[in-house]
Amino acid sequence: MSTMAQGLMDEFHQFKHLKLELRTKSGRLLAPPDSCPENVVIAWTLTTPTVWRNSESHFVAPPSERINALSHAASLGYRVAVKFNPMVPHAGWVGEFEEIVEAMVRSSPASCVDHWSMGILRLSPALNEIVEELRARAIGVFSPKKMIKDGKYLTYPEELRLNMYRRIHQIVSAHEGWSSLPFYVSLE
């Protein structure tokens, strides 16, 4: 955990009416906390192995390492959260998300989880140019050609987004305790 994050966590206990969420894509295991205020949540972003391999593998830990770090943090008493983001439709995405959710549920009981969320890929025009370059080099799984303009961002059509959200919600909610956890859709 960074010095800044630790400092925020140490001070946040005095703001009981607020919640601090520290997000990470790290696979590093956290040290036991001196104290962990109940209003501090450490959240891990998870995506499918295919998306990780094709877009994040040079920068962040693989999903399995993040799940391990999340489980370890929960076992130390940290409140944790799960962010299924970015969700990208690709061949086999449902099966990959089922495997990710199954691994996460096995390693972290719902009683340790503060909340979970999900969000579809959205691209600013500048990011779209980078994705197009990756596609030209045959690296990416993203499908900007399937994306539509929604305000100033590119995203997937509403029907596809809603179907993905419903499916992920079904997958997660099928597990004991998870259906009663707070959840939200981000970046909509």
Side-chain angles (χ1 to χ4, degrees):
M1 186 175 310
S2 71
T3 305
M4 169 73 89
Q6 186 64 54
L8 285 169
M9 203 163 86
D10 292 344
E11 295 297 321
F12 221 73
H13 69 277
Q14 60 189 309
F15 303 107
K16 303 240 183 274
H17 63 289
L18 299 175
K19 185 179 282 191
L20 173 65
E21 181 179 286
L22 302 169
R23 289 193 185 180
T24 183
K25 290 185 176 199
S26 174
R28 286 187 301 179
L29 301 181
L30 298 176
D34 293 330
S35 67
C36 187
E38 288 199 20
N39 60 337
V40 174
V41 176
I42 303 174
W44 276 264
T45 302
L46 297 174
T47 191
T48 64
T50 297
V51 171
W52 174 79
R53 255 189 325 278
N54 286 285
S55 65
E56 298 180 332
S57 63
H58 300 297
F59 310 106
V60 299
S64 59
E65 288 181 22
R66 293 185 230 174
I67 290 169
N68 186 46
L70 180 149
S71 175
H72 178 74
S75 75
L76 294 175
Y78 289 99
R79 294 295 295 163
V80 297
V82 180
K83 310 293 178 179
F84 296 110
N85 192 342
M87 291 171 37
V88 178
H90 60 80
W93 74 267
V94 172
E96 287 189 29
F97 264 114
E98 287 173 336
E99 290 172 11
I100 290 287
V101 169
E102 192 62 41
M104 182 197 56
V105 168
R106 271 195 317 272
S107 67
S108 303
S111 61
C112 297
V113 178
D114 184 76
H115 66 278
W116 64 278
S117 69
M118 54 187 156
I120 201 85
L121 177 69
R122 292 169 59 99
L123 297 174
S124 67
L127 282 176
N128 185 48
E129 290 174 22
I130 293 169
V131 169
E132 286 294 348
E133 179 184 327
L134 292 173
R135 280 177 51 82
R137 294 187 305 182
I139 305 175
V141 296
F142 303 114
S143 305
K145 303 224 181 309
K146 294 181 185 175
M147 299 177 95
I148 59 168
K149 191 145 174 92
D150 183 16
K152 64 180 183 175
Y153 294 99
L154 290 175
T155 190
Y156 293 98
E158 183 176 330
E159 184 177 345
L160 175 59
R161 296 192 323 257
L162 290 173
N163 287 336
M164 290 183 77
Y165 293 143
R166 283 186 196 108
R167 188 65 183 116
I168 295 299
H169 187 265
Q170 288 172 342
I171 292 168
V172 173
S173 296
H175 297 279
E176 185 176 337
W178 287 80
S179 62
S180 60
L181 287 174
F183 82 95
Y184 62 91
V185 173
S186 62
L187 300 175
E188 278 295 332

